[in-house]
Amino acid sequence: MRRRVRDGYVLVALFSLWNGDGMRDLLSWWGFGAVSLLLLAGAVVLLRQERRRARTLLVSWRAVPIAAFIALCLVSTSWSDYPALTIVGCLIQIATATVGVAICLARPPVRLAVLFAIVLQATLGISVLFEIGVALSPGGQILPLWTNYSANVPGAYYWSNGLIFQGGRIQGFTANANLLCFQALLAAVVTASLAQARLLAVRLLVPALLLDALVLVLSRSATVIIAGGVVVVAALVIAGLRRFGPGGRAALLGASVLFVALVGVGSSRISEPFLRLLGKGDDFTGRLEIWRLVGGLVKDEPILGWGWISYWAPWVHPFNGLVVRDGVQYLQAHNAYLDVQMQLGIPGLFALVAVIGSAVYRALRLALTARPLAVLPLLLLAALLTQAIAESRLLIEGNWALLVALSVALPLPRHRADVLVEERPRTLSAG
């Protein structure tokens, strides 16, 4: 029974973390806040029950980078232009991280991968049915519940615009086409990894991947397409590294770095036709303008930044009215790295790089072992870090919780990863 309760907690926590916008549209901010507090309370209970394992995870060198980043967020209160909001932002950051750590402790990692796949696939299925229902409804659109928007609000304010039968991009229950598309990518990565580890029956794999592909097409996001390409390249590199000895591995890694550098140098020549092919224009759907405006804030406070806030508060300077497109005020830099530099300056950027570098290094070392799902953490990081170039979601909700979980749970090289190999569940089947 205890296992079932923990499975239930993980399922609800993952669904809420990865569908924050949809949950708020359904329950209102107050309802979502109540759910969040319940999840935090459950996380505290789990941490108390697993205090010994929690201490192993948190009081170790592998947790230092993420702890240092959170500490810097807290310290930035001393120079923040909006100290009260910095404190609130830090509390939300810590609460989300706490839930992420609790999820790590709730069940063995292989089981967590299964539960993550269930949540992602369920979200995609619910989203397709939701879009069909909205499209067939009398209004053909649906605004967030518990709101009093007028009929002339921008399309971005709608929970769903009901475009599934018109060839438009669907938003799904997630309420955002880009985020829904990213969940479809993660679902494909996790599901394929489970199948590769022989933890998922083929009769479930095929319909699951077909659903993932359908949602990828219906929600189509240029960022996710690029992230998917990076994931594929990462998988191919790992496959090569597993075949070669030390010399061959060094050569392959060098060639991979050179390839990334060449693509980066040549991106200015290929970006415009590529973006036009994806229907994004040559300004990446306004992101270049957003990055220019945020770059101005970086220049105003280049050393320590403006202070931590996570997602921007639209009523406080300098974010009020900073980025407005088609009547919609944007509350992020659409680039997690630029967002961190703007909020925490040079120290924050170095702290984030330390978090990423530590996690990627350990994920890479793990990927070269024969453990179940050994490659999955690296593929998830590849997707997360690529999406962070065009979205700031790495800093909040599901993305942040996953980054924290990977940061504290991935083993240090040459250390026995007890947390990663406690249980291997039976292969999932239709029964």
Side-chain angles (χ1 to χ4, degrees), residues 339-386:
D339 229 333
V340 167
Q341 186 177 7
M342 181 269 292
Q343 296 182 43
L344 296 177
I346 296 174
L349 194 57
F350 275 112
L352 182 61
V353 169
V355 170
I356 292 170
S358 172
V360 169
Y361 174 65
R362 287 177 284 140
L364 180 60
R365 293 293 297 265
L366 178 64
L368 298 177
T369 70
R371 299 178 186 276
L373 303 177
V375 182
L376 180 58
L378 185 65
L379 301 184
L380 291 175
L381 282 169
L384 282 176
L385 301 179
T386 305

Coordinates of all heavy atoms in Angstrom, one line a residue, residues 339-386:
D339 N 18.3 34.9 -19.1 CA 17.5 35.3 -18.0 C 18.3 35.3 -16.7 O 18.2 36.2 -15.8 CB 16.3 34.4 -17.8 CG 14.9 35.1 -17.7 OD1 14.9 36.2 -17.2 OD2 13.9 34.5 -18.1
V340 N 19.1 34.2 -16.5 CA 19.9 34.1 -15.3 C 20.9 35.3 -15.2 O 21.2 35.9 -14.2 CB 20.6 32.8 -15.2 CG1 21.7 32.7 -14.2 CG2 19.5 31.7 -14.9
Q341 N 21.5 35.5 -16.4 CA 22.5 36.6 -16.4 C 21.9 38.0 -16.1 O 22.5 38.8 -15.4 CB 23.2 36.7 -17.8 CG 24.3 37.7 -17.8 CD 25.1 37.7 -19.2 OE1 24.6 37.1 -20.1 NE2 26.1 38.5 -19.2
M342 N 20.7 38.2 -16.6 CA 20.0 39.5 -16.3 C 19.6 39.5 -14.8 O 19.7 40.6 -14.2 CB 18.7 39.6 -17.1 CG 17.9 40.8 -17.0 SD 16.7 40.7 -15.7 CE 15.5 39.5 -16.5
Q343 N 19.2 38.4 -14.2 CA 18.8 38.5 -12.8 C 19.9 38.3 -11.8 O 19.9 38.9 -10.7 CB 17.8 37.3 -12.6 CG 16.5 37.5 -13.4 CD 15.5 36.4 -13.1 OE1 15.3 36.0 -11.9 NE2 14.9 35.9 -14.1
L344 N 20.9 37.5 -12.1 CA 22.0 37.2 -11.1 C 23.4 37.6 -11.6 O 24.4 37.3 -10.9 CB 22.0 35.7 -10.8 CG 20.8 35.2 -10.0 CD1 20.9 33.7 -9.8 CD2 20.5 35.9 -8.7
G345 N 23.5 38.2 -12.8 CA 24.7 38.7 -13.3 C 25.7 37.6 -13.6 O 25.4 36.5 -13.8
I346 N 27.0 38.0 -13.6 CA 28.1 37.1 -13.9 C 28.1 35.9 -13.0 O 28.3 34.8 -13.4 CB 29.4 37.8 -14.0 CG1 29.3 38.8 -15.2 CG2 30.6 36.8 -14.2 CD1 30.6 39.7 -15.3
P347 N 28.0 36.2 -11.6 CA 28.1 35.0 -10.7 C 27.0 34.0 -11.0 O 27.2 32.8 -10.9 CB 27.9 35.7 -9.3 CG 28.4 37.1 -9.5 CD 28.0 37.5 -10.9
G348 N 25.8 34.5 -11.3 CA 24.7 33.6 -11.6 C 24.9 32.7 -12.8 O 24.6 31.5 -12.8
L349 N 25.5 33.4 -13.8 CA 25.7 32.6 -15.0 C 26.8 31.5 -14.8 O 26.6 30.4 -15.2 CB 26.2 33.5 -16.1 CG 26.2 33.0 -17.6 CD1 24.8 32.5 -18.0 CD2 26.7 34.0 -18.6
F350 N 27.8 31.9 -14.0 CA 28.8 30.9 -13.7 C 28.2 29.7 -12.8 O 28.6 28.6 -13.0 CB 30.0 31.5 -12.9 CG 31.0 32.1 -13.9 CD1 31.2 33.5 -14.0 CD2 31.8 31.3 -14.7 CE1 32.2 34.0 -14.8 CE2 32.8 31.8 -15.5 CZ 32.9 33.2 -15.6
A351 N 27.3 30.1 -11.9 CA 26.7 29.1 -11.0 C 25.8 28.2 -11.8 O 25.9 27.0 -11.6 CB 25.9 29.8 -10.0
L352 N 25.1 28.7 -12.8 CA 24.3 27.8 -13.7 C 25.1 26.9 -14.5 O 24.8 25.7 -14.7 CB 23.4 28.7 -14.5 CG 22.4 27.9 -15.4 CD1 21.5 27.1 -14.6 CD2 21.6 28.8 -16.4
V353 N 26.2 27.5 -15.0 CA 27.1 26.7 -15.8 C 27.7 25.5 -15.0 O 27.9 24.4 -15.5 CB 28.3 27.5 -16.4 CG1 29.4 26.7 -17.0 CG2 27.7 28.5 -17.5
A354 N 28.0 25.8 -13.7 CA 28.5 24.8 -12.8 C 27.5 23.7 -12.6 O 27.8 22.5 -12.6 CB 28.9 25.4 -11.5
V355 N 26.2 24.1 -12.4 CA 25.2 23.1 -12.2 C 25.1 22.2 -13.5 O 25.0 21.0 -13.4 CB 23.8 23.8 -12.0 CG1 22.7 22.8 -12.1 CG2 23.8 24.5 -10.7
I356 N 25.0 22.8 -14.6 CA 24.9 22.1 -15.9 C 26.1 21.2 -16.2 O 26.0 20.0 -16.5 CB 24.7 23.1 -17.1 CG1 23.3 23.8 -16.9 CG2 24.8 22.4 -18.4 CD1 23.1 24.9 -17.9
G357 N 27.3 21.8 -16.0 CA 28.5 21.1 -16.3 C 28.6 19.8 -15.4 O 29.0 18.7 -15.8
S358 N 28.3 20.0 -14.1 CA 28.4 18.9 -13.2 C 27.4 17.8 -13.5 O 27.8 16.6 -13.6 CB 28.1 19.4 -11.7 OG 28.0 18.3 -10.8
A359 N 26.2 18.2 -13.9 CA 25.2 17.2 -14.2 C 25.5 16.5 -15.5 O 25.4 15.2 -15.6 CB 23.8 17.8 -14.3
V360 N 25.9 17.2 -16.5 CA 26.2 16.6 -17.8 C 27.4 15.7 -17.7 O 27.4 14.6 -18.3 CB 26.5 17.7 -18.9 CG1 27.1 17.1 -20.1 CG2 25.2 18.5 -19.2
Y361 N 28.5 16.1 -16.9 CA 29.6 15.2 -16.8 C 29.3 13.9 -16.1 O 29.7 12.8 -16.6 CB 30.7 15.9 -15.9 CG 31.9 15.1 -15.6 CD1 32.7 14.6 -16.6 CD2 32.1 14.7 -14.2 CE1 33.8 13.8 -16.2 CE2 33.2 13.9 -13.9 CZ 34.1 13.5 -14.9 OH 35.2 12.7 -14.6
R362 N 28.5 13.9 -15.1 CA 28.1 12.7 -14.4 C 27.1 11.9 -15.2 O 27.2 10.6 -15.2 CB 27.4 13.0 -13.0 CG 28.5 13.5 -12.0 CD 27.8 13.9 -10.7 NE 27.2 15.2 -10.8 CZ 26.1 15.5 -10.2 NH1 25.4 14.6 -9.6 NH2 25.6 16.7 -10.3
A363 N 26.2 12.6 -16.0 CA 25.3 11.8 -16.9 C 26.1 11.1 -18.0 O 25.8 10.0 -18.4 CB 24.3 12.8 -17.5
L364 N 27.1 11.8 -18.5 CA 27.9 11.2 -19.5 C 28.7 10.0 -19.0 O 28.7 8.9 -19.7 CB 28.9 12.2 -20.1 CG 29.9 11.8 -21.2 CD1 29.1 11.3 -22.4 CD2 30.9 12.9 -21.5
R365 N 29.2 10.1 -17.8 CA 29.9 8.9 -17.2 C 29.0 7.8 -17.0 O 29.3 6.6 -17.2 CB 30.6 9.3 -15.9 CG 31.8 10.3 -16.1 CD 32.9 9.6 -16.8 NE 33.5 8.5 -16.0 CZ 34.5 8.6 -15.2 NH1 35.1 9.8 -15.1 NH2 35.0 7.6 -14.5
L366 N 27.8 8.1 -16.5 CA 26.8 7.1 -16.3 C 26.3 6.4 -17.6 O 26.1 5.2 -17.6 CB 25.5 7.7 -15.6 CG 24.4 6.7 -15.3 CD1 24.8 5.6 -14.3 CD2 23.2 7.5 -14.8
A367 N 26.2 7.2 -18.7 CA 25.8 6.7 -20.0 C 26.7 5.6 -20.5 O 26.3 4.8 -21.4 CB 25.6 7.8 -20.9
L368 N 28.0 5.6 -20.1 CA 28.9 4.7 -20.6 C 28.9 3.3 -19.8 O 29.7 2.4 -20.1 CB 30.4 5.3 -20.5 CG 30.6 6.5 -21.4 CD1 32.0 7.1 -21.2 CD2 30.3 6.2 -22.8
T369 N 28.0 3.2 -18.8 CA 27.9 2.0 -18.0 C 26.8 1.1 -18.6 O 26.1 1.6 -19.5 CB 27.6 2.3 -16.5 OG1 26.2 2.8 -16.4 CG2 28.6 3.3 -16.0
A370 N 26.6 0.0 -18.0 CA 25.6 -1.0 -18.5 C 24.4 -1.0 -17.6 O 23.6 -1.9 -17.6 CB 26.2 -2.4 -18.6
R371 N 24.2 0.0 -16.8 CA 23.1 0.1 -15.9 C 21.8 0.3 -16.7 O 21.8 0.9 -17.7 CB 23.2 1.2 -14.9 CG 24.4 1.1 -14.0 CD 24.6 2.3 -13.0 NE 25.8 2.2 -12.3 CZ 26.0 1.6 -11.2 NH1 25.0 0.8 -10.7 NH2 27.1 1.6 -10.5
P372 N 20.6 -0.2 -16.1 CA 19.3 0.1 -16.8 C 19.1 1.6 -17.0 O 19.3 2.4 -16.0 CB 18.3 -0.6 -15.8 CG 19.1 -1.5 -15.0 CD 20.5 -1.0 -14.9
L373 N 18.7 1.9 -18.2 CA 18.4 3.3 -18.5 C 19.5 4.3 -18.3 O 19.4 5.5 -17.9 CB 17.2 3.8 -17.7 CG 15.9 3.0 -17.8 CD1 14.8 3.5 -16.9 CD2 15.4 3.0 -19.2
A374 N 20.7 3.8 -18.4 CA 21.9 4.6 -18.1 C 22.0 5.8 -19.0 O 22.6 6.9 -18.6 CB 23.2 3.8 -18.3
V375 N 21.5 5.8 -20.2 CA 21.6 6.9 -21.2 C 20.5 7.9 -21.0 O 20.7 9.1 -21.4 CB 21.6 6.4 -22.6 CG1 21.8 7.5 -23.6 CG2 22.7 5.3 -22.8
L376 N 19.4 7.5 -20.3 CA 18.3 8.4 -20.2 C 18.6 9.8 -19.6 O 18.1 10.8 -20.1 CB 17.1 7.7 -19.5 CG 15.8 8.5 -19.3 CD1 15.3 8.9 -20.6 CD2 14.8 7.7 -18.5
P377 N 19.3 9.9 -18.5 CA 19.6 11.2 -17.9 C 20.3 12.1 -18.9 O 20.0 13.3 -18.9 CB 20.5 10.9 -16.7 CG 20.1 9.5 -16.3 CD 19.8 8.8 -17.6
L378 N 21.2 11.6 -19.6 CA 21.9 12.5 -20.6 C 21.0 13.0 -21.7 O 21.1 14.1 -22.1 CB 23.1 11.7 -21.2 CG 24.0 12.5 -22.1 CD1 24.7 13.6 -21.4 CD2 25.0 11.6 -22.8
L379 N 20.1 12.1 -22.2 CA 19.2 12.5 -23.2 C 18.2 13.6 -22.7 O 17.8 14.5 -23.4 CB 18.4 11.3 -23.7 CG 19.3 10.2 -24.4 CD1 18.4 9.1 -24.9 CD2 20.2 10.8 -25.4
L380 N 17.7 13.4 -21.4 CA 16.9 14.4 -20.8 C 17.6 15.7 -20.7 O 17.0 16.8 -20.9 CB 16.4 13.9 -19.5 CG 15.4 12.7 -19.5 CD1 15.1 12.2 -18.0 CD2 14.1 13.0 -20.2
L381 N 18.8 15.7 -20.2 CA 19.6 16.9 -20.1 C 19.8 17.6 -21.5 O 19.7 18.8 -21.6 CB 20.9 16.7 -19.5 CG 20.9 16.5 -18.0 CD1 22.3 15.9 -17.5 CD2 20.6 17.8 -17.3
A382 N 20.0 16.8 -22.5 CA 20.2 17.4 -23.9 C 18.9 18.1 -24.3 O 19.0 19.2 -24.9 CB 20.5 16.2 -24.9
A383 N 17.8 17.5 -24.0 CA 16.5 18.1 -24.4 C 16.3 19.4 -23.5 O 15.9 20.5 -24.1 CB 15.3 17.2 -24.2
L384 N 16.5 19.3 -22.2 CA 16.3 20.5 -21.3 C 17.2 21.6 -21.7 O 16.7 22.8 -21.8 CB 16.6 20.0 -19.9 CG 15.5 19.2 -19.1 CD1 16.1 18.9 -17.7 CD2 14.2 20.0 -19.0
L385 N 18.4 21.4 -21.9 CA 19.4 22.5 -22.1 C 19.2 23.1 -23.5 O 19.5 24.3 -23.7 CB 20.8 21.9 -21.9 CG 21.1 21.3 -20.6 CD1 22.5 20.8 -20.5 CD2 20.8 22.4 -19.5
T386 N 18.8 22.3 -24.5 CA 18.5 22.9 -25.8 C 17.3 23.7 -25.8 O 17.2 24.9 -26.3 CB 18.4 21.8 -26.9 OG1 19.5 20.9 -26.8 CG2 18.2 22.4 -28.3

